[in-house]
């Protein structure tokens, strides 16, 4: 399997990364965890200005997508900077609304026309509660809308319940309130929700990869500065091996992530070769569909980011990892993302399903 990003995609990722590097995301994350959303919304505005919020929205609704490869590139950068907010859920909601509008009723078309342009230009961060994501909606208190899927029904929830504690304080969870406005009903809702859940899992995998890369980069910088026995601890072979193992896991997960992006773009390929960016040939497994490809990427990136978090925690051991130290923001995020939109066991079952 060969995959290479083209120059435009590479440059796009670098642009998003540089832009977020000047956004002081640790401050935004801590404010978000306290329920203060203004700094996080400012970061969201920066993402909108670079076109990130329009990547899952079709061009018919003022977006630039759906472009899963570019979305993966952007979300890896967002994961590296631990951007707060319902990034995966907003993309998934956009996919859900667009899918329902494609072959739906006039009503679903009106809903898409009302929300998708606002999602595309960053005016409306939204969140989504669906079976694949569990009973909670992420950051419902900060979202402009809470969409809830219940079986074959899609609702615009009237609000949310109390915010529940989370392992990652900046991932604020709440149950959507029952009732509200019924937007759509029927088998098409379940099919669109499954498609949206795949996008949410893929976006979460991209965020996990970026989180793991940030942990390795920050830890490599730290071990090059900390002196023990008159030498930087990064010169010790045991430390080098731990960091190398963490980085290898992340780099092995990267092609799975972009392979899943191509699968989302092309659907089930049944083993055919599809053309990737820059003319790269991508071979899809003969029994794999997009959901299995996404699940494999989710397992690999989640495990690699979690391993990077454990390595970072151990190699920072003499310093102590406290809530006041920025590293803890990424360590907590890696663990939370590992289970979001598909636990490892659920994703492995999808990969192995006949």
């Amino acid at each position: 399997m060969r995959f290479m990003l083209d120059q435009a995609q590479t440059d796009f990722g670098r642009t998003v990364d540089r832009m977020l590097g000047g956004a002081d995301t640790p401050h935004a994350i801590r404010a978000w965890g306290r329920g203060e959303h203004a700094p996080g919304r400012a970061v969201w505005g920066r993402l909108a200005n670079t076109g990130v919020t329009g990547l899952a929205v079709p061009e018919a609704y003022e977006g630039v997508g759906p472009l899963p490869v570019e979305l993966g590139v952007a979300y890896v950068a967002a994961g590296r900077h631990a951007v707060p907010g319902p990034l995966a859920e907003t993309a998934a909601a956009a996919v859900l609304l667009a899918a329902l509008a494609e072959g739906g009723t006039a009503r679903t078309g009106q809903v898409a026309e009302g929300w998708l342009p606002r999602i595309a230009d960053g005016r409306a961060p939204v969140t989504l509660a669906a079976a694949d994501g569990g009973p909670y909606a992420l950051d419902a208190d900060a979202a402009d809308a809470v969409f809830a899927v219940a079986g074959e029904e899609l609702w615009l929830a009237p609000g949310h319940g109390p915010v529940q504690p989370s392992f990652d304080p900046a991932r604020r969870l709440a149950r959507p309130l029952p009732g509200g406005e019924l937007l759509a009903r029927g088998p098409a809702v379940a099919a669109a929700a499954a498609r949206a859940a795949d996008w949410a899992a893929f976006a979460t995998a991209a965020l996990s990869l970026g989180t793991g890369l940030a942990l390795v980069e920050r830890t490599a910088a730290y071990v090059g500065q900390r002196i023990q026995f008159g030498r930087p601890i990064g010169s010790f072979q045991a430390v080098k091996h731990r960091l190398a193992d963490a980085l290898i896991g992340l780099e092995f997960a990267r092609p799975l992530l972009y392979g899943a992006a191509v699968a989302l773009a092309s659907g089930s390929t049944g083993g055919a070769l599809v053309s990737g960016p820059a003319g790269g040939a991508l071979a899809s497994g003969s029994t794999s569909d997009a959901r299995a490809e996404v699940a494999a990427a989710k397992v690999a990136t989640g495990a690699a980011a979690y391993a990077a978090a454990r390595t970072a925690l151990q190699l920072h051991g003499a310093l102590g990892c406290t809530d006041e130290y920025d590293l803890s923001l990424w360590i907590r995020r890696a663990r939370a993302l590992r289970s979001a939109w598909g636990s490892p066991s659920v994703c492995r079952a999808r990969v192995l399903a006949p």
Side-chain angles (χ1 to χ4, degrees):
M1 178 175 179
R2 178 178 177 270
F3 185 93
M4 292 186 66
L5 298 175
D6 64 26
Q7 191 61 47
Q9 292 163 338
T10 301
D11 291 344
F12 176 58
R14 289 172 179 167
T15 297
V16 176
D17 188 63
R18 286 196 301 267
M19 178 272 295
L20 291 174
D24 192 12
T25 53
H27 168 69
I29 297 165
R30 291 192 170 93
W32 196 274
R34 298 190 299 267
E36 301 168 10
H37 303 127
R41 292 292 289 254
V43 176
W44 195 280
R46 290 190 176 212
L47 290 175
N49 290 339
T50 56
V52 173
T53 52
L55 292 172
V57 179
E59 293 182 8
Y61 299 99
E62 302 180 20
V64 295
L67 296 173
V69 175
E70 285 75 7
L71 186 138
V73 170
Y75 277 36
V76 168
R80 285 184 60 179
H81 297 276
V83 174
L87 287 170
E89 290 71 20
T90 297
V95 170
L96 172 62
L97 295 178
L100 287 174
E102 281 178 6
T105 63
R107 172 59 178 155
T108 55
Q110 291 172 355
V111 172
E113 290 173 358
W115 282 103
L116 289 179
R118 297 171 60 193
I119 291 172
D121 66 13
R123 286 178 292 160
V126 301
T127 191
L128 175 67
D132 284 30
Y136 295 100
L138 178 68
D139 296 321
D141 59 327
D144 285 18
V146 179
F147 296 100
V149 176
E152 295 187 344
E153 295 179 343
L154 173 64
W155 293 83
L156 178 61
H160 61 86
V163 175
Q164 303 295 319
S166 169
F167 182 79
D168 179 356
R171 290 178 58 85
R172 296 164 61 82
L173 305 174
R175 289 179 181 267
L177 294 178
E181 182 182 358
L182 179 62
L183 302 179
R185 174 187 286 136
V189 172
R195 181 175 172 184
D198 289 341
W199 275 74
F202 169 74
T204 302
L207 292 170
S208 291
L209 179 61
T211 300
L213 291 171
L215 285 163
V216 170
E217 290 163 4
R218 287 170 172 266
T219 305
Y222 172 74
V223 299
Q225 297 170 358
R226 182 184 157 201
I227 304 299
Q228 188 72 31
F229 306 115
R231 297 168 56 191
I233 64 171
S235 65
F236 300 150
Q237 192 172 32
V239 172
K240 291 180 180 179
H241 285 180
R242 287 299 302 268
L243 282 171
D245 288 345
L247 183 59
I248 287 171
L250 293 164
E251 291 303 328
F252 274 33
R254 191 191 296 269
L256 290 177
L257 177 73
Y258 291 120
V262 173
L264 283 177
S266 61
S268 179
T269 61
L273 289 176
V274 297
S275 177
L282 299 166
S284 178
S286 59
T287 61
S288 297
D289 58 11
R291 169 155 281 204
E293 300 258 5
V294 170
K298 178 72 167 54
V299 169
T301 57
Y306 186 58
R310 291 174 62 88
T311 296
L313 184 62
Q314 182 177 24
L315 297 184
H316 282 80
L319 173 68
C321 185
T322 68
D323 284 343
E324 290 74 25
Y325 193 62
D326 286 350
L327 186 77
S328 67
L329 304 175
W330 278 262
I331 289 176
R332 289 174 178 270
R333 183 65 54 86
R335 178 61 183 86
L337 292 174
R338 185 171 176 239
S339 299
W341 291 100
S343 66
S345 60
V346 168
C347 289
R348 288 190 180 96
R350 289 175 183 167
V351 173
L352 297 174

